[in-house]
Amino acid sequence: MRSFVLAVVCLAVAAARAEQIDIDWSKVRPVEEFDHYWARLPPEMQAYRNETSTDRITNGQEALPGQFPYQVALLSDFPEGTALCGASVLTRNFLLTAAHCISGTGNALSSGGIAIMGAQNRMIVELSQQRIRFSTSGIRRHPGYDATSLRNDVALVLLNSRITYTSRVQPIRLPARTDTRQFGGFTGTVSGFGRTTDSSQATSATLRFTSNPVLTNAECITSWGFALAQSQNVCLKASGGRSACNGDSGGPLTVDSNGVLQIGVVSFVSAAGCASGRPSVYARVTYFLPWINANTW
């Protein structure tokens, strides 16, 4: 009973410290619904824009409260509206996400936005949540980011105020710089707030996740070709139609290796559809560790 009371007190303290921010969710949509996301692609890829919508964690399940304490719902502001992506908590100051989540028309950076930590249902103000703003000046996009090929698709977001760690908000652990594993054969888990059905136009209010085997570099390249999948990427098999999808961009791919370890950042899936059977593709965290470590505190 005492532990329960302490947990409630900690959540209440965190909520008191966090800024109370109201969000008009009717103006929020997945980043992949924005014109600038598709405009950068060649015409043969743009043809897929009006295919069946698949912005979701496909064939996943709802997460338990606090199951993914490092998960972030990232809302980035653009002239056309607010884009929904995922991210992960790195430190009390920084989040890790995909570069395309904070990049707009002409590769211009987002004008800022809101990060929501500790959410089970992002659309209501929960006691566990911390909603913190970020500004353009706090965005650190990888200098080698290529919007067309999605090379170097990683970014860091410095929040305007510090995160308070609680039982529902915790940093993710990254691999050591000396870790050379490809993680092929590990069970990978991806989480996010994307859509749940092809027919629905609404994204998921609650956090969802799915798991599948991680592929080796060779298997990933065989599926996508070297032009799209390189050593800086890691792929997750799409068995049973289970996959990350567009609405989950920027979110974490994790494995269990003496605890939860983030090995990827959601980058892209097949334009033919998330349930097409092609592996989902992620920016490989170990490849970008030197840059991440040099730009965070």
Side-chain angles (χ1 to χ4, degrees):
M1 180 65 180
R2 183 172 179 273
S3 297
F4 173 77
V5 172
L6 286 174
V8 171
V9 169
C10 288
L11 290 174
V13 169
R17 290 178 179 174
E19 184 180 356
Q20 298 301 307
I21 301 174
D22 292 325
I23 298 168
D24 183 353
W25 290 104
S26 68
K27 297 180 179 179
V28 178
R29 50 199 170 109
V31 68
E32 294 80 10
E33 291 187 8
F34 285 76
D35 290 340
H36 70 250
Y37 179 86
W38 291 92
R40 63 192 168 79
L41 299 175
E44 60 270 23
M45 296 296 289
Q46 293 187 33
Y48 286 104
R49 182 173 187 178
N50 296 320
E51 295 292 324
T52 301
S53 176
T54 52
D55 296 0
R56 67 197 190 284
I57 287 283
T58 56
N59 294 305
Q61 54 190 305
E62 186 171 324
L64 297 173
Q67 185 175 357
F68 300 96
Y70 46 81
Q71 178 74 45
V72 179
L74 189 71
L75 309 181
S76 298
D77 294 330
F78 297 101
E80 306 91 336
T82 300
L84 170 66
C85 271
S88 54
V89 176
L90 282 186
T91 70
R92 295 182 189 273
N93 300 300
F94 280 95
L95 310 177
L96 176 63
T97 190
H100 74 265
C101 286
I102 47 79
S103 301
T105 303
N107 229 21
L109 292 176
S110 161
S111 60
I114 299 167
I116 307 175
M117 284 66 63
Q120 172 66 13
N121 185 328
R122 61 180 171 82
M123 299 186 75
I124 61 176
V125 180
E126 301 165 308
L127 187 62
S128 61
Q129 287 184 19
Q130 296 177 49
R131 298 182 175 189
I132 303 177
R133 298 184 189 276
F134 65 93
S135 307
T136 304
S137 60
I139 297 173
R140 288 150 170 76
R141 183 173 60 195
H142 193 283
Y145 172 62
D146 186 302
T148 301
S149 66
L150 289 183
R151 295 271 71 78
N152 304 302
D153 191 16
V154 291
L156 299 164
V157 175
L158 173 63
L159 299 174
N160 289 0
S161 58
R162 285 164 59 87
I163 293 170
T164 299
Y165 291 156
T166 69
S167 60
R168 297 284 184 87
V169 180
Q170 288 288 315
I172 189 63
R173 186 168 61 99
L174 302 185
R177 291 186 64 172
T178 55
D179 195 337
T180 59
R181 292 176 294 174
Q182 294 184 19
F183 299 100
F186 277 71
T187 296
T189 298
V190 60
S191 49
F193 292 95
R195 289 179 179 162
T196 58
T197 66
D198 285 333
S199 58
S200 173
Q201 291 300 306
T203 50
S204 177
T206 55
L207 182 60
R208 298 179 67 83
F209 72 99
T210 194
S211 299
N212 252 329
V214 177
L215 301 181
T216 64
N217 282 358
E219 291 170 325
C220 187
I221 292 170
T222 297
S223 295
W224 282 97
F226 189 74
L228 290 174
Q230 300 180 1
S231 59
Q232 66 174 255
N233 298 114
V234 58
C235 289
L236 191 66
K237 197 172 182 179
S239 301
R242 297 186 301 275
S243 176
C245 210
N246 298 347
D248 305 305
S249 287
L253 170 65
T254 65
V255 297
D256 185 357
S257 179
N258 296 317
V260 179
L261 193 70
Q262 182 174 354
I263 65 167
V265 177
V266 180
S267 184
F268 66 92
V269 296
S270 173
C274 302
S276 65
R278 297 192 76 178
S280 48
V281 184
Y282 305 75
R284 185 182 290 276
V285 169
T286 50
Y287 184 92
F288 295 102
L289 272 177
W291 179 79
I292 292 171
N293 291 337
N295 288 279
T296 55
W297 58 84

